[in-house]
Amino acid sequence: MEQAPRDPERQLQPAPLEPLGHPDAGLQSAVGEEAEGARDESPGEGTMTENNFWLKKIEISVSEAEKRTGRNAMNMQETYTAYLIETRSVEHTDGQSVLTDSLWRRYSEFELLRNYLLVYYPHIVVPPLPEKRAEFVWHKLSADNMDPDFVERRRIGLENFLLRVASHPILCRDKIFYLFLTQEGNWKETVNETGFQLKADSRLKALNATFRVKNPDKRFTELKHYSDELQSVISHLLRVRARVADRLYGVYKVHGNYGRVFSEWSAIEKEMGDGLQSAGHHMDVYASSIDDILEDEEHYADQLKEYLFYAEALTVRTFSLKGMTTKLFGQETPEQREARIKVLEEQINEGEQQLKSKNLEGREFVKNAWADIERFKEQKNHDLKEALISYAVMQISMCKKGIQVWTNAKECFSKM
Amino acid sequence: VGGDSTPSPDLLMARSFGDKDLILPNGGTPAGTSSPASSSSLLNRLQLDDDIDGETRDLFVTVDDPKKHVCTMETYITYRITTKSTRVEFDLPEYSVRRRYQDFDWLRSKLEESQPTHLIPPLPEKFVVKGVVDRFSEEFVETRRKALDKFLKRITDHPVLSFNEHFNVFLTAKDLNAYKKQGMALLTRVGESVKHVTGGYKLRSRPLEFAAIGDYLDTFALKLGTIDRIAQRIIKEEIEYLVELREYGPVYSTWSALEGELAEPLEGVSACIGNCSTALEELTDDMTEDFLPVLREYILYSDSMKSVLKKRDQVQAEYEAKLEAVALRKEDRPKVPADVEKCQDRMECFNADLKADMERWQNNKRQDFRQLLMGMADKNIQYYEKCLTAWESIIPLLQEKQEAK
């Protein structure tokens, strides 16, 4: 693996770590590494501030979303949503939180942060962002990015992303991430100055080489297989769930018609009138209850989507050389392509040789990558179980509401 | 049996059930009570009261035991009709005969013919409703049986119709076909005369109360039609929802096969959704079999009632025309001719019969709809209770290993 130039502003620490799911884990290691970090940094770089920052417990929230208009790179007017990120540090002693930073970011900046993390932490399963555009919609849900419900759910998703990064033992110590939370202006320039886009290519080659050694680690093959299957099954699940939601909506809403007709019918009845009328009211209540129910279910769908995106990210990391060559070369004659592939293969072989010679580092990399995958698996099992529980709780709530409404209606009918 | 079987108006009034809210038409087989626990206590109370009713019942009729008959020419279903009675009109205390739909159809025509001043209950539809494919399916036969049972019980409850000769024969005759061919049924005095009422007389003014009944029936039928459409639409939506659920559940199973720790929870969710799907299917079946047919019956009922109202108008119109004709003759006869008197008689009887029947009908309608709608509510409650049980039971399964961790 290419050795990154010693950058005093950043720490690339493929240090062996226990799989940790606890949010405080990052702090533990931060504390542990503090002494080591101080050793490596050149004096007067202000890294003491950075390390001190992470000693305290922090709370991150994406608290608001705001519509903005501005001019884009091509000087055309555009509308976008900006999100307010607030960071609070919690005093250990009295548990009170103090607002330390507050700034506005838009979705594209989150994307930039994530792409940077992907490049610089290839052995880490980087948390995904909430979807860029609304997918798996059922008919009522707007596919419009400006829709308030979509914006709200995205706000939650972005907050979730930041919390995941902050609770990751390695990612939480990244300087660029720290600046994302604290430095409003100039952050984009700082990120681009790291030159990470250029590194992306070479890292990808190196990464790919790892997975193309003569005896690939069976675990990675299994992982790729798993993530492919997971992606497929969650997509299917989300699609069907959306259709289920659509149908359920229809069932509830048609009951609203009973409200009107019972009311009309009650007008011609003497003794039956009151009972009919009040029952009709309950039918209206029933029909309108579905809106809240389905909105709650969207949160469940979002939790599934997060792991769909996680799975997609895992799959990408193991893509084949063939795919990469067509991307690099595009339209070529077969002979030209063959020639270039040969060159690339030679380069890869060189890389492989380099890898073999730096065997220890290579194994270290795999070990760390696998450690993070184990951490990820634990997180996934925990999160998805929580998601299933909350889904079951939602269903229970819906059933109870249904029983309540129909019991009320039955009471009214009995008085007819 | 035989002779004049139309009671005088006085007797009619005495036997009117108008002030007795406790009449539960025994044809009220409670719609879809699968579990005794879910029947409303109210329903039970009503049925109990029926037995200790002040009015001693002396006629009990039940329709059950459908059987398929396969002959060379056709295949058809017969139902067993059991009659228990202490009335003098019945030679034996108990009868058991077998009848098929067309026999019921015959009975109804005869009743309409012989008791034109009364409201005759409707029969279930002759032809299969769209969507119900197999007329020999268990569900269809059971739905029809219930409706036929209700039909006979409504007649049984009627103070005049229950004494009808054709009804008696229907309940008792070994060979009904032979009787049908005879066609020697003695018509009642009123029946005979009404049958020969000439149409074409124009009604001057309909009495307010009958106009009101007519308006009521019009709106009533309209609203029922709307409710029928809504109910059908709900069932349709529920079935489509069911289709999606049947695909949804298994996906969790597929996912479970990929996982280790999550395998059991996911499998649990899959099974849970399966249980909810089954519960939903039961709901849609119940609604189709028990709810819709009763609605349709009442629409048919109001249609036939409107024809009776028209006949009443005809009788009144004839009377008024004849009366006017006499008045125009400018004869100094203080006495009204016999045939005009007959017409008046006819009209007043008709009016009385109809009024009494309407009142009875209103009460029965109220009971029937109370029961029907409560039944609908009950079915939905049962559906949600089944789903609730399913979801509550997997919570411990989902939470289990969390603690063990």
Side-chain angles (χ1 to χ4, degrees):
Chain A
M1 186 168 80
E2 239 179 56
Q3 188 76 320
R6 275 306 169 95
D7 192 337
E9 290 279 272
R10 225 184 7 86
Q11 291 190 47
L12 180 66
Q13 289 279 7
L17 287 165
E18 313 305 325
L20 294 158
H22 198 274
D24 278 322
L27 293 158
Q28 290 288 76
S29 36
V31 170
E33 297 298 331
E34 189 202 17
E36 195 183 346
R39 240 189 291 125
D40 282 350
E41 311 306 329
S42 39
E45 286 290 346
T47 51
M48 288 309 287
T49 319
E50 174 191 320
N51 287 330
N52 282 342
F53 181 86
W54 297 112
L55 278 176
K56 299 188 168 75
K57 200 168 181 165
I58 58 159
E59 285 171 8
I60 306 173
S61 65
V62 177
S63 47
E64 275 172 52
E66 209 176 74
K67 221 193 268 197
R68 300 254 178 99
T69 44
R71 296 227 167 248
N72 66 8
M74 288 173 290
N75 206 33
M76 291 196 326
Q77 197 176 48
E78 58 166 1
T79 318
Y80 62 91
T81 311
Y83 299 87
L84 178 66
I85 304 172
E86 291 180 322
T87 315
R88 286 178 166 74
S89 71
V90 183
E91 301 294 326
H92 268 185
T93 43
D94 57 8
Q96 282 211 313
S97 72
V98 173
L99 184 69
T100 51
D101 290 281
S102 151
L103 42 68
W104 292 87
R105 295 270 183 229
R106 52 185 296 190
Y107 188 85
S108 55
E109 291 174 278
F110 281 85
E111 279 185 305
L112 189 60
L113 171 65
R114 185 166 190 272
N115 289 337
Y116 162 84
L117 291 173
L118 283 173
V119 170
Y120 272 107
Y121 300 91
H123 61 298
I124 301 287
V125 182
V126 177
L129 283 172
E131 53 194 1
K132 191 159 188 150
R133 264 162 285 279
E135 277 178 55
F136 303 109
V137 290
W138 56 281
H139 88 277
K140 202 209 155 206
L141 210 61
S142 174
D144 174 21
N145 280 7
M146 287 298 169
D147 178 69
D149 285 333
F150 178 76
V151 168
E152 172 59 16
R153 289 187 10 253
R154 188 190 254 191
R155 183 193 65 73
I156 295 169
L158 292 173
E159 184 177 280
N160 194 47
F161 167 75
L162 293 177
L163 289 173
R164 288 227 189 266
V165 174
S167 64
H168 191 285
I170 295 172
L171 297 178
C172 71
R173 292 181 292 157
D174 187 275
K175 177 84 183 234
I176 295 290
F177 173 58
Y178 169 73
L179 291 175
F180 181 84
L181 298 173
T182 57
Q183 179 191 68
E184 183 147 25
N186 241 24
W187 176 81
K188 264 200 255 194
E189 287 72 11
T190 312
V191 183
N192 290 328
E193 270 164 27
T194 63
F196 80 95
Q197 279 101 338
L198 298 169
K199 295 196 175 89
D201 242 5
S202 59
R203 289 218 188 279
L204 236 42
K205 273 194 237 171
L207 185 68
N208 200 53
T210 312
F211 296 124
R212 281 194 77 239
V213 296
K214 294 292 181 235
N215 298 305
D217 193 329
K218 212 198 310 175
R219 295 180 298 177
F220 288 105
T221 325
E222 279 170 9
L223 178 68
K224 173 164 168 48
H225 182 72
Y226 169 76
S227 62
D228 281 345
E229 303 263 298
L230 186 68
Q231 219 185 312
S232 160
V233 85
I234 297 185
S235 298
H236 187 195
L237 192 65
L238 286 168
R239 269 197 313 275
V240 184
R241 192 215 70 90
R243 293 204 307 261
V244 166
D246 193 27
R247 289 300 175 197
L248 189 61
Y249 183 80
V251 169
Y252 271 73
K253 285 300 178 190
V254 181
H255 279 84
N257 290 313
Y258 274 145
R260 191 176 49 234
V261 75
F262 284 168
S263 180
E264 290 167 4
W265 182 9
S266 73
I268 60 167
E269 296 291 344
K270 295 188 201 89
E271 297 112 334
M272 276 169 59
D274 288 337
L276 273 175
Q277 179 86 5
S278 46
H281 161 73
H282 291 296
M283 291 294 98
D284 287 332
V285 169
Y286 182 69
S288 60
S289 69
I290 191 65
D291 297 301
D292 284 343
I293 288 168
L294 288 177
E295 188 168 316
D296 284 346
E297 272 199 28
E298 281 307 313
H299 292 295
Y300 171 68
D302 284 341
Q303 287 172 295
L304 292 181
K305 274 182 210 170
E306 191 190 11
Y307 279 92
L308 172 65
F309 301 147
Y310 262 123
E312 280 172 3
L314 280 175
T315 310
V316 164
R317 281 166 47 147
T318 57
F319 72 62
S320 70
L321 177 68
K322 275 227 169 66
M324 193 172 89
T325 48
T326 30
K327 275 194 176 74
L328 290 172
F329 302 124
Q331 304 284 35
E332 291 259 326
T333 66
E335 294 78 15
Q336 283 175 309
R337 194 155 70 242
E338 283 297 332
R340 286 194 195 260
I341 287 175
K342 264 212 163 60
V343 168
L344 207 66
E345 280 185 352
E346 277 165 16
Q347 287 178 329
I348 296 295
N349 280 328
E350 270 174 41
E352 285 190 22
Q353 295 305 319
Q354 276 192 328
L355 185 68
K356 276 179 186 163
S357 73
K358 294 180 181 181
N359 209 8
L360 195 70
E361 286 173 45
R363 273 203 255 133
E364 195 69 19
F365 171 84
V366 168
K367 183 170 153 199
N368 294 327
W370 199 255
D372 194 63
I373 285 165
E374 288 298 324
R375 181 206 59 83
F376 167 74
K377 276 190 191 168
E378 296 254 342
Q379 176 197 295
K380 174 208 76 168
N381 286 339
H382 175 269
D383 289 349
L384 287 175
K385 217 180 278 191
E386 288 295 313
L388 289 176
I389 291 172
S390 77
Y391 184 65
V393 167
M394 276 180 230
Q395 300 305 309
I396 287 168
S397 162
M398 178 171 90
C399 290
K400 285 188 174 161
K401 276 189 211 160
I403 291 170
Q404 186 63 63
V405 163
W406 282 105
T407 305
N408 292 341
K410 186 177 167 184
E411 179 79 30
C412 297
F413 290 138
S414 75
K415 297 202 180 104
M416 266 166 53
Chain B
V1 185
D4 184 4
S5 65
T6 311
S8 69
D10 285 352
L11 189 57
L12 256 173
M13 286 311 157
R15 294 197 63 164
S16 159
F17 295 98
D19 59 341
K20 288 209 172 102
D21 259 7
L22 300 177
I23 294 301
L24 181 73
N26 287 7
T29 321
T33 48
S34 43
S35 70
S38 64
S39 299
S40 77
S41 60
L42 181 65
L43 219 55
N44 286 333
R45 189 160 57 81
L46 284 172
Q47 285 177 319
L48 209 60
D49 277 345
D50 219 1
D51 295 337
I52 55 172
D53 198 9
E55 191 89 29
T56 340
R57 301 194 138 268
D58 57 1
L59 176 64
F60 299 89
V61 180
T62 314
V63 179
D64 65 5
D65 190 35
K67 275 198 163 55
K68 192 153 127 185
H69 299 256
V70 183
C71 308
T72 39
M73 293 297 281
E74 55 174 348
T75 306
Y76 60 92
I77 309 265
T78 62
Y79 304 84
R80 179 178 65 186
I81 321 291
T82 312
T83 308
K84 290 191 177 96
S85 178
T86 52
R87 290 187 184 179
V88 294
E89 289 81 7
F90 293 89
D91 295 333
L92 301 172
E94 194 169 324
Y95 290 88
S96 181
V97 298
R98 290 224 143 242
R99 300 284 183 248
R100 55 186 289 191
Y101 184 90
Q102 67 185 41
D103 297 331
F104 284 84
D105 203 24
W106 168 87
L107 172 62
R108 190 171 192 282
S109 310
K110 283 300 184 198
L111 285 173
E112 271 189 322
E113 224 177 78
S114 57
Q115 315 275 181
T117 62
H118 289 286
L119 302 174
I120 316 295
L123 275 177
E125 284 163 326
K126 193 166 196 144
F127 303 106
V128 285
V129 183
K130 69 161 182 198
V132 181
V133 183
D134 181 14
R135 69 190 166 97
F136 297 114
S137 76
E138 235 177 85
E139 295 82 21
F140 177 78
V141 171
E142 175 57 15
T143 303
R144 194 173 248 201
R145 184 202 64 76
K146 281 192 206 141
L148 294 175
D149 183 79
K150 192 159 200 176
F151 169 73
L152 291 184
K153 286 189 160 83
R154 277 174 171 152
I155 299 171
T156 308
D157 285 349
H158 196 288
V160 176
L161 297 178
S162 64
F163 286 93
N164 183 280
E165 185 200 339
H166 303 297
F167 183 53
N168 187 296
V169 172
F170 176 90
L171 294 176
T172 60
K174 281 256 152 61
D175 185 355
L176 188 63
N177 286 328
Y179 176 80
K180 285 187 199 176
K181 286 183 186 127
Q182 275 174 24
M184 268 168 49
L186 291 162
L187 294 172
T188 65
R189 179 166 54 86
V190 176
E192 182 76 51
S193 52
V194 170
K195 197 174 164 193
H196 296 308
V197 162
T198 11
Y201 290 104
K202 199 168 160 220
L203 186 67
R204 290 276 173 77
S205 65
R206 193 176 288 115
L208 267 165
E209 64 183 320
F210 293 110
I213 291 173
D215 289 340
Y216 170 83
L217 287 176
D218 283 337
T219 312
F220 178 71
L222 216 65
K223 294 308 147 196
L224 282 195
T226 307
I227 292 173
D228 180 51
R229 277 192 300 281
I230 295 170
Q232 279 189 64
R233 179 67 191 278
I234 289 174
I235 291 169
K236 177 171 171 284
E237 295 285 336
E238 281 172 347
I239 287 172
E240 287 175 354
Y241 171 49
L242 181 63
V243 165
E244 301 298 348
L245 277 184
R246 292 236 185 261
E247 190 183 326
Y248 184 50
V251 181
Y252 282 98
S253 245
T254 309
W255 186 359
S256 161
L258 300 175
E259 297 286 344
E261 198 182 317
L262 288 178
E264 251 183 66
L266 287 169
E267 193 58 56
V269 171
S270 177
C272 198
I273 294 172
N275 289 336
C276 294
S277 305
T278 306
L280 182 60
E281 191 167 33
E282 283 163 14
L283 175 65
T284 55
D285 284 345
D286 283 349
M287 290 299 285
T288 307
E289 283 154 31
D290 295 332
F291 187 79
L292 293 180
V294 178
L295 276 183
R296 298 212 184 100
E297 242 170 60
Y298 260 94
I299 296 173
L300 292 171
Y301 214 159
S302 39
D303 284 344
S304 77
M305 283 159 75
K306 280 192 272 189
S307 344
V308 176
L309 275 174
K310 282 207 186 85
K311 268 190 243 155
R312 191 219 67 85
D313 287 348
Q314 284 304 310
V315 169
Q316 180 178 333
E318 192 189 352
Y319 165 66
E320 285 174 351
K322 290 204 166 136
L323 195 64
E324 201 180 303
V326 166
L328 287 172
R329 261 183 264 155
K330 285 183 182 136
E331 283 160 14
D332 268 328
R333 274 184 235 185
K335 206 181 120 194
V336 178
D339 68 329
V340 178
E341 220 173 69
K342 247 196 197 163
C343 268
Q344 185 180 18
D345 227 4
R346 209 184 294 152
M347 181 187 75
E348 281 169 1
C349 272
F350 207 140
N351 288 350
D353 285 349
L354 199 53
K355 259 181 81 180
D357 274 15
M358 264 316 290
E359 216 176 304
R360 182 175 305 110
W361 181 88
Q362 283 285 9
N363 274 314
N364 288 344
K365 173 210 79 188
R366 187 175 159 197
Q367 296 302 325
D368 285 347
F369 276 96
R370 181 197 293 181
Q371 190 182 322
L372 183 72
L373 292 169
M374 283 177 74
M376 170 173 91
D378 243 340
K379 290 190 236 289
N380 278 278
I381 292 169
Q382 282 165 41
Y383 160 70
Y384 278 113
E385 278 176 349
K386 286 175 201 165
C387 293
L388 180 66
T389 306
W391 285 106
E392 279 181 336
S393 69
I394 64 152
I395 294 273
L397 171 70
L398 294 175
Q399 286 175 327
E400 202 175 64
K401 274 152 196 173
Q402 299 271 70
E403 272 101 37
K405 213 183 145 194

